[in-house]
Amino acid sequence: MKLATYKDGSRDGQLVVVSRDLGQAHYATGIASRLQQVLDDWNFMAPQLQDLYDQLNAGRARHAFAFDAQQCMAPLPRAYQWADGSAYLNHVELVRRARGAEVPESFYTDPLIYQGGSDDFLGPCDDIVVPSEAMGIDFEAEIAVITGDVKMGASADQALDGVRLLMLANDVSLRNLIPAELAKGFGFFQSKPATAFSPVAVTPDELGAAWKGGRVHLTLQSTWNGRRVGMCEAGPEMTFHFGQLIAHIARTRNVRAGSIVGSGTVSNKDWTRGYSCIAEKRCIEAIENGQPSTEYMQYGDTIRIEMKGLDGQSLFGAIEQGIAAPR
């Protein structure tokens, strides 16, 4: 099934069920008003939402209306946890190679994850508001999952069973703030503003054969200012699958329902497939030409992130955002 959250003036919005083709929607009123309620009581509420989803797809839902991504908040507008990985090690290798550094061996056996802010997410069509263009504004096209409860010490297979929903993410980075923050030895903070998520979150079964081994075997498309810059394959080069990422988080603590875990920038060794963040393009330029030439995003720029299913139809809807200055 496919779920979204409509804006209603509140912090958590109103849960809606969305048809498979993203054409129709229906409020989940009477089952649950918010997605977190469903995640907290998944086994009881998910079957009821599935019934509504089936009715919607069959054209039998009595109060269906046209789905509008512009009205969407993030599917889970605020979460108990947002932990973002760096599961595509080609991205790490490029960044290190561009500055003449080696990738530590531990990176290939132990996932990289940082703890992001989860109190304020952006909807798929909300502007990315940044105090200054000089901060080095970059998009990052990613895949993310929302979990149920996963117990401390869970294996990768057990953790993978905890995946409830999948969605796309734009993990915005302010690149020019990152070096000073990392030099402190405490990781990202101000360099990672609010993350945006796709209009809908979908259950794994909606992906069909594309969901295999904890990876999404589909192409992630990134379009910057109307020009397609990335057609990156999300499956084969994901070094750590989602079960491994979640198990890493659960090594010393429980992971609670409503946690969001990101894949990190989707990246391929084949440079002809383009890029899912500008920093990677700049690294390639530095390797090939000695210095980067592509500038980061400016006010007025736009970014579109989308993934199509095996049937050629948009799976999660598109993240479509503009870059804006504070009012």
Side-chain angles (χ1 to χ4, degrees):
M1 62 186 166
K2 299 189 176 187
L3 303 174
T5 295
Y6 258 34
K7 297 176 180 178
D8 67 351
S10 71
R11 293 181 186 271
D12 297 302
Q14 282 289 316
L15 180 66
V16 298
V17 178
V18 183
S19 62
R20 181 170 286 111
D21 65 1
L22 305 181
Q24 298 286 304
H26 195 292
Y27 283 107
T29 309
I31 302 171
S33 59
R34 302 185 308 278
L35 180 54
Q36 185 61 51
Q37 290 175 288
V38 181
L39 295 164
D40 286 338
D41 199 3
W42 184 263
N43 290 337
F44 178 69
M45 292 186 177
Q48 299 177 62
L49 293 172
Q50 181 69 48
D51 287 344
L52 178 55
Y53 180 65
D54 293 340
Q55 292 174 32
L56 188 61
N57 287 321
R60 297 197 305 269
R62 294 179 58 189
H63 302 292
F65 53 88
F67 177 63
D68 182 3
Q70 294 279 344
Q71 298 302 315
C72 288
M73 305 173 77
L76 192 59
R78 50 180 176 168
Y80 288 115
Q81 179 169 217
W82 160 229
D84 196 21
S86 188
Y88 296 86
L89 285 189
N90 181 66
H91 176 73
V92 179
E93 291 167 348
L94 271 177
V95 172
R96 295 248 168 177
R97 181 179 168 190
R99 65 172 191 253
E102 296 289 327
V103 178
E105 284 299 318
S106 64
F107 283 28
Y108 295 94
T109 58
D110 203 29
L112 293 168
I113 294 180
Y114 84 90
Q115 193 90 47
S118 61
D119 57 328
D120 181 32
F121 292 138
L122 298 178
C125 301
D126 293 345
D127 282 341
I128 301 165
V129 179
V130 180
S132 170
E133 293 175 322
M135 291 179 174
I137 308 165
D138 198 357
F139 67 91
E140 286 192 47
E142 306 185 5
I143 302 166
V145 300
I146 306 177
T147 77
D149 287 330
V150 178
K151 291 184 177 180
M152 182 173 63
S155 68
D157 286 344
Q158 291 169 334
L160 193 56
D161 286 339
V163 171
R164 296 288 179 260
L165 297 159
L166 295 100
M167 52 189 178
L168 303 181
N170 181 13
D171 178 43
V172 181
S173 289
L174 304 179
R175 299 293 182 186
N176 294 337
L177 301 186
I178 288 176
E181 288 205 315
L182 293 185
K184 295 177 180 178
F186 240 46
F188 306 119
F189 200 81
Q190 291 178 342
S191 53
K192 289 290 189 178
T195 302
F197 294 95
S198 53
V200 301
V202 311
T203 48
D205 61 289
E206 290 291 326
L207 278 69
W211 175 244
K212 183 180 179 181
R215 298 172 175 87
V216 178
H217 293 263
L218 293 169
T219 303
L220 185 61
Q221 305 177 15
S222 299
T223 304
W224 178 17
N225 290 337
R227 184 170 70 91
R228 184 75 52 76
V229 297
M231 289 287 288
C232 296
E233 294 299 328
E237 296 180 56
M238 188 179 188
T239 308
F240 301 102
H241 64 68
F242 278 110
Q244 292 170 306
L245 295 177
I246 298 167
H248 179 82
I249 299 169
R251 182 183 179 192
T252 58
R253 55 180 168 173
N254 294 317
V255 176
R256 292 306 189 189
S259 293
I260 304 175
V261 180
S263 67
T265 305
V266 176
S267 179
N268 295 155
K269 292 184 182 297
D270 179 1
W271 294 352
T272 65
R273 303 207 67 86
Y275 52 91
S276 299
C277 70
I278 301 168
E280 193 162 297
K281 173 65 170 174
R282 287 169 57 87
C283 287
I284 292 171
E285 291 168 345
I287 292 167
E288 292 185 326
N289 307 316
Q291 62 182 12
S293 56
T294 300
E295 299 296 329
Y296 289 117
M297 302 179 84
Q298 305 294 308
Y299 294 148
D301 280 9
T302 60
I303 179 64
R304 177 185 174 95
I305 299 169
E306 189 175 23
M307 178 175 276
K308 294 183 178 180
L310 296 174
D311 60 0
Q313 300 299 308
S314 184
L315 188 57
F316 305 95
I319 296 173
E320 295 188 88
Q321 297 181 278
I323 307 297
R327 292 181 179 177

